[in-house]
Amino acid sequence: MTNPADAVTTARAVAGRLRKDAVERQHANQPPLSEIQMLRESGLLAVDPDDHRTTHAVTRLVSAGDASIGHLLGYHYLHLWRASLYDNDELARSLRQDVVADQLFVAAVSNPRDTVTATEIGDGLSVSGRGAFATGCAVADRLFVSATRADRGARLVVVARRGAGGISHPSDWDNLGQRLTASGSIVFQDVRIDPVDVLGTFPVDEDESSPRWLRLSLVPLAFQAVLTQVLVGIVEGALAEAAQYTRESSRPWPASGLENAVDDPHILAGYGDLVATLRAARLIAGEATRAFGEADAAGPALTAAERGRAGLTISAAKVVSSRTATEVTSRIFDLTGARATARSSGLDRFWRDARTLTLHDPLVYKAQELGTSLLTGKVPPITAYS
């Protein structure tokens, strides 16, 4: 799908379909195989991963219908984009071609605290270890696997195919929210990787003085920018469904003297406040996308200062979107009433998804980066999360 307008229109339609049975699917808590198939059939998996404005918009829109599926889709785009940052240009190109031709879904094992090692065996590698929070890997066609060379300590990324021998997915994802992201662990037992499937390496002696290393350091910012869009999508979905519930089901409080909840000035003002908060979060999320896109467009000419400024913009968006998501998904119950807490309403899923995502990495460290910049002028250090 090459037309951004078509992608956005399709994303809205997919979100509408996901919204219809989101409550039932969350309660069933099954691997999102049918949802991934829906993405295949929609053509959304083939959106250009270098078009960050479009992929982020699509991620946000789909997240409003189902935050788990928006999360999976946003990461799919991210992994395809980052493939081109590594050494194996031929593999990166073929991956993109295969995704477009066969509507493949891509996921990754990239938690910086994983213990996955790669050992040289003959003319290839043997990968073993366990990865935590392997979002989407249990239902993916291609896996990007971050591992450490056992003999050199250098990091590398390899590509494995679905069903490869030695890969297993323990059924251990039963968390509060984001239940359909298939974010459980993954186990590798002597998984054979051919040299042509090594996407890239990270020599241990490189730092930000290396243009290649500095460009690769955009990957953590990409994760933060995508999660920011997912959080804003959750707020959009929560407000839309809460408003529908208020229009159709909420009863006015007796002391109001009104016949309809939608006429209560306190409810009207409450929704208005949340709408303003959402619009502010949406704007700063868009600013984060622009900052990330500009840093990416700089290519090998990217400087540490430019990277740092982009990181600060994205951290600010992450702080605002996280707080907005937890606040709005809680406050909607003040406006919908006690009956809206019924399990059948499904309004709780927005808070559960937001609360789970906002724990992805401690928000206080993002705020610390912003405060340090204000008081000292220093840009944040480059880490696996910022």
Side-chain angles (χ1 to χ4, degrees):
M1 184 174 292
T2 59
N3 188 306
D6 289 345
V8 168
T9 298
T10 301
R12 293 186 191 278
V14 168
R17 290 171 61 189
L18 290 169
R19 187 177 296 114
K20 289 180 180 179
D21 62 351
V23 178
E24 293 80 5
R25 289 184 294 101
Q26 281 220 349
H27 290 169
N29 195 25
Q30 295 297 308
L33 292 169
S34 62
E35 291 86 347
I36 296 299
Q37 184 60 29
M38 182 188 299
L39 295 180
R40 292 188 213 282
E41 294 170 357
S42 72
L44 287 178
L45 294 178
V47 173
D48 180 4
D50 293 331
D51 182 358
H52 304 303
R53 181 177 179 181
T54 299
T55 61
H56 286 199
V58 167
T59 296
R60 187 189 79 246
L61 290 167
V62 174
S63 295
D66 188 321
S68 290
I69 311 310
H71 188 172
L72 290 172
L73 184 58
Y75 273 17
H76 164 85
Y77 296 138
L78 186 162
H79 299 315
L80 279 178
W81 161 76
R82 71 181 175 105
S84 63
L85 303 183
Y86 301 112
D87 310 323
N88 195 335
D89 292 336
E90 183 177 350
L91 178 57
R93 282 194 300 271
S94 67
L95 278 167
R96 291 192 179 200
Q97 291 168 356
D98 291 345
V99 164
V100 173
D102 302 323
Q103 295 295 327
L104 301 182
F105 171 63
V106 177
V109 186
S110 57
N111 191 304
R113 291 184 282 186
D114 286 344
T115 55
V116 181
T117 59
T119 304
E120 191 169 345
I121 295 181
D123 64 347
L125 295 170
S126 175
V127 173
S128 294
R130 187 184 189 97
F133 303 116
T135 298
C137 285
V139 294
D141 302 296
R142 298 288 186 273
L143 308 180
F144 289 13
V145 184
S146 297
T148 302
R149 283 288 296 254
D151 54 344
R152 305 174 195 170
R155 299 278 294 174
L156 52 80
V157 176
V158 302
V159 177
R161 286 161 176 74
R162 184 175 189 174
I167 300 178
S168 60
H169 306 277
S171 182
D172 55 7
W173 181 247
D174 189 25
N175 286 41
L176 180 73
Q178 294 302 93
R179 294 173 66 80
L180 301 185
T181 56
S183 288
S185 61
I186 186 171
V187 176
F188 301 94
Q189 184 64 47
D190 299 323
V191 178
R192 169 77 181 193
I193 300 295
D194 292 330
V196 295
D197 290 324
V198 177
L199 193 55
T201 58
F202 308 84
V204 293
D205 58 347
E206 283 194 23
D207 57 24
E208 65 183 53
S209 63
S210 160
R212 188 188 78 127
W213 187 91
L214 191 60
R215 184 152 167 72
L216 283 168
S217 77
L218 292 178
V219 174
L221 299 186
F223 277 99
Q224 298 299 325
V226 167
L227 291 173
T228 294
Q229 294 290 352
V230 175
L231 287 163
V232 174
I234 289 173
V235 178
E236 291 180 346
L239 264 182
E241 292 208 21
Q244 180 178 348
Y245 186 94
T246 296
R247 286 191 294 265
E248 298 176 357
S249 302
S250 290
R251 295 183 296 181
W253 189 245
S256 72
L258 299 168
E259 294 186 4
N260 299 300
V262 294
D263 296 324
D264 189 322
H266 299 296
I267 290 178
L268 295 172
Y271 273 113
D273 186 49
L274 297 187
V275 168
T277 302
L278 166 61
R279 294 181 72 167
R282 191 186 289 143
L283 285 171
I284 197 170
E287 185 180 353
T289 295
R290 285 191 296 274
F292 173 70
E294 289 170 1
D296 182 33
L302 179 70
T303 67
E306 290 169 338
R307 196 272 184 197
R309 287 193 292 271
L312 288 170
T313 300
I314 293 168
S315 286
K318 186 73 181 301
V319 169
V320 171
S321 63
S322 296
R323 290 179 176 166
T324 300
T326 53
E327 175 191 1
V328 171
T329 56
S330 176
R331 286 186 60 191
I332 57 173
F333 290 100
D334 295 330
L335 306 174
T336 51
R339 292 189 302 164
T341 62
R343 191 166 182 257
S344 59
S345 79
L347 290 177
D348 63 301
R349 74 183 189 277
F350 297 107
W351 180 86
R352 289 188 289 102
D353 288 340
R355 183 69 281 194
T356 300
L357 272 182
T358 53
L359 298 175
H360 178 265
D361 57 285
L363 199 62
V364 67
Y365 288 97
K366 297 288 183 291
Q368 182 185 21
E369 291 172 359
L370 295 163
T372 298
S373 175
L374 173 67
L375 297 176
T376 70
K378 295 180 180 178
V379 297
I382 296 172
T383 73
Y385 293 96
S386 66

